[in-house]
């Protein structure tokens, strides 16, 4: 299963409820939340509500809570075995009452007898079958996703191609392209090498949008260029370009978005806790003057790692 790294603060509950064709199963760790060290619990206060993230001693996310107010909140539970995700339960509460009709359970079975196969079955809490996904892998990569529900079966093929140092992954639903991701390495003169990732989205098999991301070799997002597809000229036209700056700790301190003659710049200021790892506990964004605060609890130093 793939551990997907997210650049900025993410809402795990939304990710858990979104079934995206052509996406691999995601496992979240402390790194996805910009955390370091033996973090046990991270409580986050934002302008839209509060979030709580619980981690096991191995750094895997075991529970997330998104609170919109005192009476409305969502909870996601993750269950593992030896680092593999076995179960994910997403529960919805409104007016302090559990709502089974909008709560969903995901169950995973792993078969590595031959090439790796992962089965994902999805049910509502009122025991209604929703979807089944079978993820098939070749020796190294995801090769296919078979989706079955009450409407029938669809197969997403995942093609991997290498050409002149570029790796391209294309997702095709019943032979119709959904998305392509091309990864290459850029080596500018007298500058560090960079990884360039171009993602194209398709609608009904036709190109519709794209964005290009430039990463440093230590996986920091340095720039992102967005494109819109001009159906008359049959090409992509650049729109918004965003660049990112980091301090010596690797923390994001500024982002600048340019679209035409317009420029929007945000700067990030941090306050850190007193622990050795130095996680941030307050992030201030200017010129909006918005902020996010975090309360972090760590495991005791003598806590043993257990397999879950």
């Amino acid at each position: 299963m793939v551990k997907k790294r997210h650049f900025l603060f993410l809402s795990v509950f939304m990710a858990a409820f979104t079934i995206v064709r052509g996406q691999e199963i995601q496992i979240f760790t402390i790194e996805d939340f910009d955390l370091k060290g033996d973090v046990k619990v991270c409580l986050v206060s934002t302008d839209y509500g509060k979030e709580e993230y619980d981690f096991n001693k191995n750094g895997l996310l075991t529970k997330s809570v998104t609170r919109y107010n005192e009476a409305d909140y969502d909870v996601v539970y993750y269950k593992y075995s030896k680092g593999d995700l076995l179960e994910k339960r997403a529960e919805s509460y409104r007016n302090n009452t559990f709502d089974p009709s909008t709560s969903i359970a995901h169950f995973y079975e792993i078969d590595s007898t031959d090439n790796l196969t992962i089965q994902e079955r999805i049910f509502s809490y009122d025991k209604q079958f929703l979807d089944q996904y079978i993820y098939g892998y070749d020796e190294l990569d995801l090769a296919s996703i078979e989706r079955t529900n009450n409407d029938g079966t669809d197969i997403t093929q995942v093609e991997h191609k290498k050409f002149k140092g570029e790796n391209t992954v294309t997702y095709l639903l019943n032979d119709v392209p959904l998305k392509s991701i091309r990864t290459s390495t850029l080596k500018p003169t007298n500058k560090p090498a960079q990884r360039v990732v171009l993602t194209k989205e398709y609608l009904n098999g036709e190109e519709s949008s794209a964005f290009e991301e430039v990463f440093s070799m230590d996986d920091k997002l340095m720039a992102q260029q967005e494109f819109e597809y001009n159906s008359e000229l049959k090409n992509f036209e650049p729109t918004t370009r965003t660049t990112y700056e980091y301090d010596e700790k690797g923390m994001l301190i500024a982002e600048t978005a340019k679209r035409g003659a317009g420029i929007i710049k945000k700067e990030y200021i941090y306050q850190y806790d007193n622990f050795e790892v130095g996680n941030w506990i307050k992030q201030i964004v200017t010129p909006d003057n918005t902020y996010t605060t975090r309360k972090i609890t760590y495991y005791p130093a003598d806590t043993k790692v257990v397999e879950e």
Side-chain angles (χ1 to χ4, degrees):
M1 298 183 190
V2 170
K3 297 180 180 180
K4 181 179 179 183
R5 305 189 69 182
H6 291 256
F7 178 61
L8 294 176
F9 183 82
L10 55 87
S11 174
V12 173
F13 184 80
M14 295 304 297
F17 267 79
T18 303
I19 306 301
V20 181
R21 294 178 178 178
Q23 295 295 320
E24 299 180 63
I25 297 168
Q26 297 176 8
I27 291 179
F28 297 102
T29 72
I30 60 172
E31 293 181 359
D32 295 303
F33 300 86
D34 198 15
L35 291 165
K36 297 177 290 186
D38 294 331
V39 175
K40 183 177 182 179
V41 180
C42 180
L43 302 176
V44 183
S45 296
T46 68
D47 55 355
Y48 63 82
K50 297 181 178 180
E51 304 212 1
E52 174 187 332
Y53 302 107
D54 294 22
F55 303 91
N56 64 18
K57 191 61 172 60
N58 299 309
L60 299 176
L61 180 68
T62 59
K63 176 184 175 183
S64 67
V65 183
T66 302
R67 291 189 177 274
Y68 309 103
N69 52 56
E70 290 301 319
D72 301 327
Y73 56 96
D74 298 314
V75 186
V76 183
Y77 298 95
Y78 300 85
K79 183 179 179 180
Y80 305 90
S81 176
K82 296 181 180 180
D84 291 321
L85 182 63
L86 294 185
E87 186 176 312
K88 178 173 65 179
R89 293 181 176 269
E91 300 179 353
S92 177
Y93 295 82
R94 296 296 180 267
N95 295 320
N96 283 322
T97 301
F98 173 64
D99 184 358
S101 65
T102 58
S103 299
I104 298 175
H106 304 244
F107 302 97
Y108 304 93
E109 293 184 9
I110 301 173
D111 183 357
S112 58
T113 305
D114 193 4
N115 287 338
L116 176 66
T117 299
I118 301 174
Q119 180 190 66
E120 177 183 14
R121 294 177 298 148
I122 307 172
F123 296 87
S124 66
Y125 267 52
D126 52 13
K127 298 182 179 181
Q128 297 294 314
F129 169 75
L130 300 177
D131 277 296
Q132 174 182 279
Y133 290 83
I134 297 178
Y135 304 85
Y137 293 77
D138 58 21
E139 294 182 357
L140 297 174
D141 302 300
L142 178 67
S144 65
I145 304 173
E146 180 181 303
R147 180 190 188 189
T148 302
N149 55 26
N150 294 330
D151 295 326
T153 299
D154 292 320
I155 297 179
T156 299
Q157 301 157 316
V158 185
E159 296 182 348
H160 300 263
K161 295 182 179 180
K162 295 184 178 180
F163 181 72
K164 293 184 178 181
E166 295 181 345
N167 297 326
T168 302
V169 181
T170 303
Y171 296 84
L172 303 102
L173 176 62
N174 299 329
D175 296 321
V176 177
L178 292 173
K179 179 174 66 174
S180 67
I181 304 171
R182 187 186 71 196
T183 303
S184 59
T185 300
L186 181 65
K187 299 179 180 179
T189 303
N190 298 324
K191 291 183 179 180
Q194 296 175 320
R195 181 166 52 89
V196 181
V197 181
L198 175 63
T199 301
K200 291 184 180 180
E201 304 282 353
Y202 296 81
L203 181 63
N204 298 323
E206 300 292 333
E207 295 175 320
S208 62
S209 63
F211 60 94
E212 182 182 76
E213 297 168 299
V214 179
F215 295 89
S216 63
M217 298 310 290
D218 60 353
D219 213 23
K220 290 184 177 61
L221 180 61
M222 307 303 296
Q224 176 173 294
Q225 176 67 63
E226 299 176 28
F227 298 89
E228 291 180 353
Y229 188 70
N230 188 319
S231 57
E232 294 183 359
L233 298 178
K234 302 295 182 181
N235 62 10
F236 283 102
E237 298 178 346
T239 55
T240 302
R241 179 173 179 81
T242 306
T243 56
Y244 304 90
E245 300 175 40
Y246 301 85
D247 63 14
E248 65 280 358
K249 296 181 179 180
M251 299 297 297
L252 176 69
I253 56 173
E255 65 176 87
T256 304
K258 297 182 180 180
R259 186 182 179 104
I263 298 177
I264 299 176
K265 185 172 183 177
K266 294 182 179 180
E267 294 185 341
Y268 297 81
I269 303 169
Y270 301 92
Q271 295 178 6
Y272 295 87
D273 62 19
N274 294 322
F275 285 82
E276 182 178 351
V277 293
N279 282 305
W280 66 264
I281 54 176
K282 188 172 185 178
Q283 179 195 69
I284 303 170
V285 184
T286 63
D288 301 341
N289 287 326
T290 59
Y291 64 89
T292 298
T293 60
R294 306 196 301 186
K295 181 179 179 181
I296 300 171
T297 303
Y298 296 88
Y299 281 99
D302 59 350
T303 302
K304 294 182 180 180
V305 175
V306 294
E307 294 290 347
E308 296 190 35

